[in-house]
């Protein structure tokens, strides 16, 4: 987000607009007068009439090309009558979405409605007659005059009861979940503070066979920095000393942390990385991803969840599904927002259940023909169970084969599956007034499938 696209990039954009998931018109800006505002309805009809969950990124209608991304439940769309590289427009839209996050605090329907004047001013500075001028946060902040209105959104990871632990000397402090979801330019009376947030975010993909054997494992991770410091010439981020990439030799300083691949933002200085595992960067205000990494087919620890299922038919002809779910996290850890999805036979009519604790819920959704078991909080080392009894007319042995595979979604706060940790976070020069430095860890499921 910090590095603007090349000024005067020769790709003409006719219109830019933002729609809600329901098709409500939130933002519309016409730069060239090549089409009417009716194209908004044309786009929404096209994107909602297609089968499947994800529409093509590029679509065409009557010589006009629609290129869109979807973030925060919103459609960000650009139209063009020329034939530019779609990757250029997609990159522009991604940077536009990132700028809204930087300037408005979050990207959501509410924040866009509350800050529509700011977003229109932003578009005026970013595009001139459809030609991209800049997408740099640092450049735009010299021209944007409208002050953002903070909307206090719900965080993607609800960290209000997770613990947002600071590096170095702030281990006992906790920041609220919306601490990093505020506008860059907000004033002190709006809650502006000298703060920097470093998030270590990992996405976990796992497939476990019916025999309990791990068949696939993949971790996609990133280190993301969001900076609210007025001036900071350099930030130094220290990683585990025993951090290795690929087949490089471990140095023996401590517990090994290995990844297969690793890439860095081009602004990161790596002079101290090989010897000391230190990343150096001159952060701009706003959010940027400083490092991305990947680990395949090798989890350093056991998968966070194991399932022990039993599927049978009782004497009255009902389908019985008994699930025992074990959380293999350390005892002091916990998984949040655990959702278990169990596909069931198409003819299933009704569900009765017995759950191991009162805070759990379960329901049969007729549209998707699946049972959804929701667990708000799952302590590490605990085991929970559920018995589902389904009325299935004409239940047969073939019907039993329609049960599964089971999929889980969850968040693991204060936890990384690779073991990657931030050793320290140091800023120079010394800031006027002690800045608060926060380091957060969270792992969430990309795809977690257990065959039964």
């Amino acid at each position: 987000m910090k590095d603007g696209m090349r000024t005067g990039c020769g790709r003409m954009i006719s219109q830019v607009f933002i729609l809600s998931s329901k098709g409500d018109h939130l933002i519309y800006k016409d730069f060239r007068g090549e089409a009417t505002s009716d194209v908004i309805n044309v786009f929404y009809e096209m994107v909602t009439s297609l089968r499947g969950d994800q529409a093509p990124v590029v679509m065409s209608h009557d010589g006009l090309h629609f290129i869109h991304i979807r973030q925060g439940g919103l459609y960000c769309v650009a139209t063009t009558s020329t034939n530019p590289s779609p990757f250029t427009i997609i990159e522009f839209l991604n940077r536009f979405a990132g700028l809204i996050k930087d300037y408005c605090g979050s990207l959501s329907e509410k924040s866009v409605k509350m800050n529509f004047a700011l977003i229109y001013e932003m578009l005026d500075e970013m595009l001139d007659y459809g030609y991209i001028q800049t997408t740099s946060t640092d450049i735009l902040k010299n021209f944007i005059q409208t002050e953002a209105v903070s909307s206090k959104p719900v965080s993607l990871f609800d960290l209000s009861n997770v613990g947002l632990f600071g590096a170095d000397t702030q281990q006992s402090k906790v920041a609220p979940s919306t601490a990093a979801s505020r506008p860059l330019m907000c004033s002190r009376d709006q809650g502006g503070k000298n703060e920097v947030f470093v998030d270590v975010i990992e996405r976990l993909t796992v497939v476990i066979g019916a025999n309990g054997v791990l068949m696939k494992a993949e971790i996609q991770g990133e280190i993301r920095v969001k900076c609210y410091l007025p001036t900071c010439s350099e930030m130094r981020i220290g990683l585990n000393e025993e951090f290795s990439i690929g087949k490089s030799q471990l140095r023996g300083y401590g517990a090994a942390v290995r990844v297969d691949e690793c890439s860095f933002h081009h602004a990161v200085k790596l002079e101290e990385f090989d010897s000391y595992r230190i990343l150096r960067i001159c952060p701009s205000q706003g959010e940027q991803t400083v490092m991305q990494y990947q680990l395949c087919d090798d989890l350093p620890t056991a998968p966070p969840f194991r399932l022990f299922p039993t599927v049978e038919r009782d004497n009255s002809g009902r389908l019985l599904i008994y699930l025992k779910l074990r959380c293999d996290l350390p005892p002091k850890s916990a998984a949040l927002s655990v959702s278990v999805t169990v596909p069931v036979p198409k003819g299933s009519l009704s569900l009765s259940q017995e759950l191991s604790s009162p805070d759990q819920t379960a329901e049969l959704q007729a549209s998707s023909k699946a049972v959804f078991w929701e667990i708000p909080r799952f302590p590490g080392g605990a085991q929970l169970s559920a018995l589902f009894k389904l009325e299935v007319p004409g239940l047969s042995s073939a019907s039993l084969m329609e049960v599964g595979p089971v999929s889980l979604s969850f968040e693991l706060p204060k936890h990384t599956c690779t073991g990657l940790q931030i050793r320290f976070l140091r800023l120079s020069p010394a800031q006027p007034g002690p800045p608060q430095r926060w380091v957060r860890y969270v792992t969430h499921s990309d795809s977690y499938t257990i065959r039964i």
Side-chain angles (χ1 to χ4, degrees):
M1 273 317 312
K2 310 314 131 198
D3 305 286
M5 300 177 72
R6 183 162 53 89
T7 300
C9 180
R11 307 298 181 209
M12 292 183 292
I13 294 175
S14 298
Q15 298 152 315
V16 173
F17 52 89
I18 300 177
L19 300 180
S20 72
S21 58
K22 297 179 180 178
D24 298 327
H25 303 183
L26 305 179
I27 298 291
Y28 172 76
K29 183 75 173 177
D30 189 345
F31 295 95
R32 302 182 62 83
E34 296 174 337
T36 66
S37 59
D38 292 341
V39 297
I40 301 178
N41 296 326
V42 171
F43 168 79
Y44 189 71
E45 289 174 5
M46 291 170 60
V47 82
T48 54
S49 64
L50 295 169
R51 294 183 178 180
D53 294 333
Q54 191 165 357
V57 174
V58 182
M59 298 180 290
S60 299
H61 178 79
D62 287 344
L64 195 65
H65 306 296
F66 297 84
I67 303 171
H68 82 280
I69 62 171
R70 190 171 185 186
Q71 290 191 25
L74 305 177
Y75 293 103
C76 297
V77 190
T79 69
T80 177
S81 58
T82 61
N83 291 303
S85 164
F87 298 106
T88 301
I89 309 299
I90 292 168
E91 177 67 10
F92 167 79
L93 291 172
N94 279 314
R95 291 182 183 233
F96 177 44
L99 283 166
I100 294 176
K101 292 179 185 177
D102 283 350
Y103 278 88
C104 303
S106 66
L107 177 60
S108 65
E109 183 175 351
K110 183 178 180 181
S111 67
V112 170
K113 286 181 176 178
M114 295 176 69
N115 292 281
F116 69 92
L118 171 61
I119 295 171
Y120 277 116
E121 186 178 0
M122 193 185 302
L123 284 171
D124 284 336
E125 300 295 342
M126 295 170 67
L127 292 155
D128 182 13
Y129 196 57
Y131 289 94
I132 300 169
Q133 301 302 305
T134 184
T135 58
S136 167
T137 302
D138 287 339
I139 293 174
L140 286 170
K141 71 180 182 182
N142 296 318
F143 302 102
I144 301 297
Q145 302 299 319
T146 306
E147 192 165 311
V149 180
S150 182
S151 60
K152 296 184 179 180
V154 177
S155 177
L156 173 63
F157 311 114
D158 184 6
L159 296 166
S160 56
N161 53 1
V162 168
L164 191 53
F165 296 93
D168 290 343
T169 61
Q170 299 196 29
Q171 294 292 334
S172 62
K173 294 187 177 181
V174 177
S177 61
T178 56
S181 297
R182 58 181 171 86
L184 274 179
M185 314 304 289
C186 68
S187 57
R188 288 269 174 184
D189 58 358
Q190 289 179 301
K193 298 178 182 178
N194 287 348
E195 293 178 306
V196 59
F197 296 83
V198 177
D199 291 341
V200 182
I201 302 170
E202 294 188 348
R203 301 169 181 83
L204 181 63
T205 299
V206 164
V207 177
I208 299 175
N211 56 359
V213 175
L214 183 65
M215 301 177 64
K216 177 183 178 181
E218 181 176 300
I219 300 170
Q220 300 278 350
E222 63 183 27
I223 298 177
R224 195 182 297 168
V225 172
K226 192 159 189 178
C227 181
Y228 292 100
L229 303 177
T231 58
C232 179
S233 60
E234 185 176 81
M235 178 186 301
R236 300 173 78 241
I237 303 173
L239 308 182
N240 308 61
E241 291 183 325
E242 194 57 281
F243 178 76
S244 65
I245 303 171
K247 303 297 183 182
S248 59
Q249 186 174 2
L250 300 177
R251 296 191 293 258
Y253 294 144
V257 175
R258 188 186 71 81
V259 298
D260 293 327
E261 299 176 3
C262 191
S263 62
F264 303 92
H265 190 282
H266 64 80
V268 175
K269 301 173 184 177
L270 300 173
E271 292 88 347
E272 297 182 84
F273 183 74
D274 287 342
S275 300
Y276 304 108
R277 295 303 189 237
I278 295 174
L279 306 177
R280 294 169 53 207
I281 189 169
C282 299
S284 299
Q285 286 193 328
E287 183 180 289
Q288 63 189 128
T289 299
V290 299
M291 177 176 135
Q292 294 177 309
Y293 55 93
Q294 179 177 343
L295 177 64
C296 296
D297 299 326
D298 181 22
L299 289 181
T301 58
F305 290 99
R306 293 296 300 270
L307 181 69
F308 306 93
T310 302
V311 180
E312 60 187 15
R313 179 170 48 186
D314 69 3
N315 296 330
S316 60
R318 291 182 302 179
L319 173 62
L320 302 183
I321 303 174
Y322 181 59
L323 303 178
K324 287 196 297 184
L325 186 62
R326 189 180 73 203
C327 181
D328 286 337
L329 294 174
K332 292 184 179 181
S333 301
L336 300 181
S337 304
V338 180
S339 178
V340 183
T341 303
V342 187
V344 296
K346 296 177 181 178
S348 302
L349 296 178
S350 61
L351 168 73
S352 61
Q353 71 266 356
E354 297 176 13
L355 306 176
S356 55
S357 63
D359 59 337
Q360 303 170 36
T361 60
E363 65 172 335
L364 170 65
Q365 289 195 359
S367 59
S368 56
K369 291 303 178 187
V371 172
F372 292 86
W373 178 21
E374 305 287 344
I375 306 168
R377 188 176 186 276
F378 201 149
Q383 180 170 288
L384 301 177
S385 61
L387 175 61
F388 303 120
K389 304 174 183 179
L390 293 112
E391 297 288 345
V392 185
L395 183 64
S396 63
S397 299
S399 301
L400 298 181
M401 300 299 293
E402 296 182 48
V403 179
V406 175
S407 60
L408 279 75
S409 66
F410 50 82
E411 295 172 7
L412 309 179
K414 298 188 290 184
H415 181 83
T416 57
C417 290
T418 59
L420 180 63
Q421 299 283 310
I422 304 297
R423 265 190 302 137
F424 59 79
L425 175 59
R426 295 171 185 164
L427 309 173
S428 62
Q431 300 291 308
Q436 291 183 311
R437 294 161 288 174
W438 305 104
V439 177
R440 307 186 287 190
Y441 305 94
V442 67
T443 297
H444 66 91
S445 56
D446 237 8
S447 173
Y448 199 100
T449 303
I450 304 173
R451 298 176 181 173
I452 61 177

